[in-house]
């Protein structure tokens, strides 16, 4: 762990940074589903049960929406003006509509024939609307819901966005919550705020969330300052950090140090040879860049047979912490009672007993997502069951006071002065004329 005190600042942004380049890490978005990939020419990418190539996204701006065409090619989708509410023909209510499965004239064979002819998904949706006997009888809201459902099924629309802390935390929480210990994105935001993470700081982080917390800190610091990552095991895990696609200038202030060597460092027995003699099993930022796509590809092959998880759709059984479920002494909820079931609660108690920490809090944030649409804004039916417990506080350092006896004597003298209250002054009462 070597480095100079003054760290070089990040390089000025390139004029083409807002455009997608070959080798960039990007996030694919479709509705509420995300996936992080690296842009590589002639490399097949599978997302939402469809495969395509990312060659044509190079040179376009982030946030561009593409449509998957024949042969796995992506073409920019042109924005089409939707008809206004005045031109729509809609019913007043849905009470007379019977869902008997006979309202659609097109059969599955007809739809398959349209796909084989190369008909775009947008045209298939339009034909489904025209061949529906009950579409015009639906209310305007029901029509919009019907169109949205059919577009999701038949239109292959993908948006390429730039990675960020919020997007990646939502992606991991929806797709692989166990890898980030079920840490929700609002909990991560509180950690960054309570930790006072900002540019120019010297920070220490120890996490087991695939490097997501580390990446969030690096993004907020913007390449200014330094971060020491303490890691358990053979080496640091930075799979999620690689998804951010940070420039090399951001990595100049990043260091790592094994957690099992902290005691020797504090005792003064640590030497740099102790690090060089240990093999590192974990993947660094550079090494994980090459294996990230291979790992995601293998996971995606397993996902093709099941529906992908969305942001707000989490079954209750997924809300259990992976750390607890993998504990050999793990018991069912009715048999719980030991302190091992709550690592943070035991830490909270120890800190309260030891002292030296103020504003100590153990909290869990309750989060609810809302649908905001004209005349139909309401809380979503499904919501997250929990985002993880958060222990925070401020430490009070007393080392200097204990080391220097002169400071201690001065402090005791000051304390004696502050405890002595001055004598009350006698107030002379004015004599009254009698």
């Amino acid at each position: 762990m070597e480095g100079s005190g003054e760290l070089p600042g990040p390089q000025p942004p390139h004029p083409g940074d807002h455009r997608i380049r070959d080798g960039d890490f990007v996030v694919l978005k479709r509705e509420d589903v995300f996936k992080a990939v690296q842009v590589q020419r002639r490399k097949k990418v599978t997302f939402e049960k469809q495969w395509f190539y990312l060659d044509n996204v190079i040179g376009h701006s982030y946030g561009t929406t593409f449509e998957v065409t024949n042969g796995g090619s992506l073409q920019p989708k042109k924005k089409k003006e939707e008809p206004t509410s005045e031109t729509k023909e809609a019913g007043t209510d849905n009470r007379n509509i019977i869902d008997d499965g006979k309202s659609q004239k097109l059969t599955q064979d007809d739809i398959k024939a349209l796909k084989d002819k190369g008909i775009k998904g947008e045209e298939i949706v339009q034909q489904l609307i025209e061949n529906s006997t009950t579409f015009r009888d639906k209310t305007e809201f029901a029509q919009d819901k019907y169109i949205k459902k059919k577009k999701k099924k038949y239109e292959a629309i993908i948006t390429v966005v730039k990675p960020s802390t919020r997007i990646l935390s939502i992606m991991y929480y929806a797709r692989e919550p166990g890898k980030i210990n079920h840490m929700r994105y609002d909990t991560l935001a509180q950690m960054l705020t309570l930790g006072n993470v900002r540019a120019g700081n010297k920070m220490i982080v120890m996490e087991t969330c695939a490097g997501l917390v580390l990446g969030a800190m690096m993004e907020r610091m913007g390449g200014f300052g330094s971060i020491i990552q303490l890691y358990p095991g053979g080496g640091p895990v930075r799979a999620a950090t690689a998804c951010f696609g940070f420039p090399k200038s951001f990595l100049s202030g990043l260091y790592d140090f094994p957690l099992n060597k902290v005691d020797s460092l504090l005792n003064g027995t640590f030497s740099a040879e102790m690090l060089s003699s240990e093999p590192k099993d974990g993947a660094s930022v550079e090494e994980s860049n090459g294996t990230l796509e291979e790992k995601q590809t293998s996971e995606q092959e397993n996902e093709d047979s099941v529906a992908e998880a969305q942001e707000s759709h989490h079954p209750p059984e997924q809300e259990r912490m992976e750390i607890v479920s993998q504990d050999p002494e793990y018991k069912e909820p009715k048999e719980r009672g030991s302190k091992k079931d709550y690592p943070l609660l035991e830490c909270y108690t120890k800190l309260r007993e030891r002292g030296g920490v103020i504003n100590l809090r153990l909290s869990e944030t309750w989060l609810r997502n809302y649908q905001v649409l004209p005349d139909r804004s309401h809380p979503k039916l499904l919501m997250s069951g929990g985002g993880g417990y958060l222990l925070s506080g401020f430490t009070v350092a007393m080392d200097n006071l204990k080391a220097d006896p002169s400071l201690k004597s001065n402090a005791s003298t000051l304390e004696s002065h502050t405890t002595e209250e001055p004598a009350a002054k006698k107030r002379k009462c004015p004599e009254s004329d009698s």
Side-chain angles (χ1 to χ4, degrees), residues 223-262:
F224 296 94
S226 59
I227 302 177
I228 300 176
Q229 181 186 10
L230 302 179
Y231 60 88
V237 179
R238 298 174 183 172
T241 311
C243 295
F244 284 85
F246 292 123
K248 292 184 179 180
S249 58
F250 278 52
L251 306 179
S252 61
L254 178 60
Y255 308 89
D256 55 75
F257 192 81
L259 189 62
N260 57 2
K261 302 297 181 185
V262 173

Side-chain angles (χ1 to χ4, degrees), residues 24 29 55 60-61 88 90 112 170 237 240 266 281 284 356 375:
D24 285 355
K29 178 181 182 295
D55 299 48
H60 287 276
S61 301
K88 286 183 179 180
K112 186 177 182 301
I170 291 176
V237 179
L266 297 177
D281 300 330
S284 63
D375 299 329

Side-chain angles (χ1 to χ4, degrees), residues 393-412:
F394 297 94
T395 58
V396 181
M398 301 292 289
D399 296 338
N400 295 336
L401 188 61
K402 294 179 181 179
D404 194 343
S406 62
L407 293 177
K408 187 173 181 180
S409 60
N410 292 339
S412 59

Side-chain angles (χ1 to χ4, degrees), residues 65-273:
T65 301
F66 298 89
E67 184 175 7
V68 182
T69 59
N70 294 335
S73 177
L74 294 181
Q75 299 297 331
K77 181 175 175 59
K78 297 180 180 179
K79 292 185 179 180
K80 186 178 180 181
E81 294 184 1
E82 297 183 358
T84 59
S85 58
E86 292 148 358
T87 62
K88 286 183 179 180
E89 183 181 349
T92 55
D93 56 58
N94 300 324
R95 69 180 70 181
N96 297 324
I97 298 177
I98 301 175
D99 188 11
D100 54 1
K102 300 178 181 179
S103 59
Q104 182 55 246
K105 297 178 182 178
L106 292 180
T107 63
Q108 291 295 328
D109 295 335
D110 297 334
I111 298 174
K112 186 177 182 301
L114 292 174
K115 289 183 177 180
D116 295 338
K117 292 179 181 178
I119 303 298
K120 293 184 177 181
E122 187 177 0
E123 298 178 8
I124 295 178
V125 173
Q126 186 61 34
Q127 292 201 25
L128 289 172
I129 294 174
E130 294 175 356
N131 287 276
S132 175
T133 58
T134 59
F135 181 80
R136 290 174 180 80
D137 297 331
K138 297 177 182 288
T139 63
E140 184 180 345
F141 296 152
Q143 288 181 357
D144 293 341
K145 189 175 181 180
Y146 177 88
I147 294 173
K148 184 178 180 180
K149 181 180 178 180
K150 297 303 179 184
K151 281 185 175 181
K152 184 178 181 181
K153 185 175 182 180
Y154 296 105
E155 288 190 9
I157 304 299
I158 295 171
T159 304
V160 182
V161 297
K162 197 174 184 65
S164 66
T165 298
R166 179 177 177 83
I167 290 176
L168 292 177
S169 59
I170 291 176
M171 180 194 74
Y172 267 95
Y173 189 75
R175 294 171 64 93
E176 300 172 312
K179 291 189 176 180
I180 59 171
N181 297 327
H182 292 259
M183 178 183 63
R184 208 168 49 205
Y185 41 91
D186 59 304
T187 305
L188 177 58
Q190 293 182 72
M191 293 170 62
L192 296 175
T193 302
L194 293 171
N196 193 26
V197 181
R198 55 185 175 83
N201 275 8
K202 295 181 179 179
M203 309 294 296
I204 296 180
V205 58
M206 206 293 288
E207 54 125 323
T208 55
C209 299
L212 182 60
V213 179
L214 173 63
M217 295 173 62
M218 294 175 64
E219 181 189 66
R220 178 164 289 199
M221 295 175 68
F224 296 94
S226 59
I227 302 177
I228 300 176
Q229 181 186 10
L230 302 179
Y231 60 88
V237 179
R238 298 174 183 172
T241 311
C243 295
F244 284 85
F246 292 123
K248 292 184 179 180
S249 58
F250 278 52
L251 306 179
S252 61
L254 178 60
Y255 308 89
D256 55 75
F257 192 81
L259 189 62
N260 57 2
K261 302 297 181 185
V262 173
D263 287 339
S264 60
L265 181 65
L266 297 177
N267 296 334
T269 60
F270 172 78
S271 63
E273 298 176 355

Side-chain angles (χ1 to χ4, degrees), residues 166 169-170 173 182-190 311-312 314 319 364-370 379-388:
R166 179 177 177 83
S169 59
I170 291 176
Y173 189 75
H182 292 259
M183 178 183 63
R184 208 168 49 205
Y185 41 91
D186 59 304
T187 305
L188 177 58
Q190 293 182 72
E311 175 184 353
S312 58
H314 303 286
E319 298 301 331
E364 182 188 24
T365 306
W366 187 76
L367 178 70
R368 166 171 282 178
N369 294 316
Y370 279 77
K380 290 187 176 180
L381 299 179
L382 299 178
M383 58 176 291
S384 170

Side-chain angles (χ1 to χ4, degrees), residues 28 49 95 175 320 386:
L28 307 179
K49 301 182 182 180
R95 69 180 70 181
R175 294 171 64 93
R320 297 181 183 176

Side-chain angles (χ1 to χ4, degrees), residues 275-301:
L275 291 180
S276 59
S277 61
E278 290 189 356
K280 289 190 176 182
D281 300 330
S284 63
V285 174
E286 293 80 5
E287 294 171 348
S288 62
N289 289 352
T291 59
L292 174 67
E293 181 62 27
E294 296 177 3
K295 184 177 180 182
Q296 289 184 341
T297 302
S298 61
E299 292 174 352
Q300 185 63 36
E301 293 174 355

